Amino acid sequence: MRIIVYGSLRRKQGNSHWMTNAQWLGDHQIEGFELYNLGHYPGVVEGEGSVYCEVYRIDASTLGELDALRTRNGEYKRQLIQTPYGSAWLYVYQRSIKGLTRIPSGDWLQREDLPKDE
């Protein structure tokens, strides 16, 4: 099975350790979604933009761990979408985006609050 990640689960990000046993398949830009800054991690919702993502092959154990991390308290719901690498699960944010900051680039690594190199 495959999963598509767009924020803290991406390579070299704060939660990338959850992807240790995953096989990176490639990068992908998903259309019809918008990325919002939730603080320490982002949320994606259906919308007019595009979002930069990474696609991975994972096993059932890893999916179970990610479900426990992402779907608790109803914050995210998994949605199956098509990628050039085959269908992949995407965690879609389920709460209100009112008052949240949209990341216009669609890339978590290009958000405005990202610390700049000096």
Side-chain angles (χ1 to χ4, degrees):
M1 69 188 71
R2 287 169 292 280
I3 192 158
I4 190 162
V5 300
Y6 50 82
S8 65
L9 293 170
R10 286 174 54 187
R11 290 171 287 178
K12 300 180 183 176
Q13 296 303 299
N15 283 327
S16 63
H17 61 278
W18 290 95
M19 304 301 287
T20 302
N21 295 323
Q23 175 191 8
W24 178 74
L25 299 175
D27 298 329
H28 179 56
Q29 191 114 357
I30 57 173
E31 301 294 328
F33 291 91
E34 297 174 350
L35 190 66
Y36 285 85
N37 190 336
L38 307 179
H40 295 292
Y41 53 92
V44 73
V45 297
E46 291 188 32
E48 300 297 315
S50 62
V51 177
Y52 179 84
C53 303
E54 297 171 359
V55 182
Y56 291 87
R57 183 179 316 281
I58 60 172
D59 58 23
S61 174
T62 301
L63 183 63
E65 292 171 355
L66 293 175
D67 276 352
L69 178 70
R70 292 289 179 228
T71 61
R72 69 173 182 256
N73 303 322
E75 191 172 20
Y76 294 88
K77 179 179 76 173
R78 268 196 286 132
Q79 180 177 329
L80 199 58
I81 65 166
Q82 294 303 313
T83 76
Y85 311 99
S87 58
W89 290 111
L90 172 71
Y91 287 101
V92 179
Y93 188 63
Q94 295 299 295
R95 297 188 180 155
S96 173
I97 56 172
K98 185 176 181 179
L100 297 177
T101 302
R102 182 173 178 215
I103 302 169
S105 68
D107 187 342
W108 178 242
L109 302 184
Q110 300 297 319
R111 65 191 185 278
E112 289 184 14
D113 68 335
L114 187 66
K116 305 291 186 234
D117 291 335
E118 298 193 21

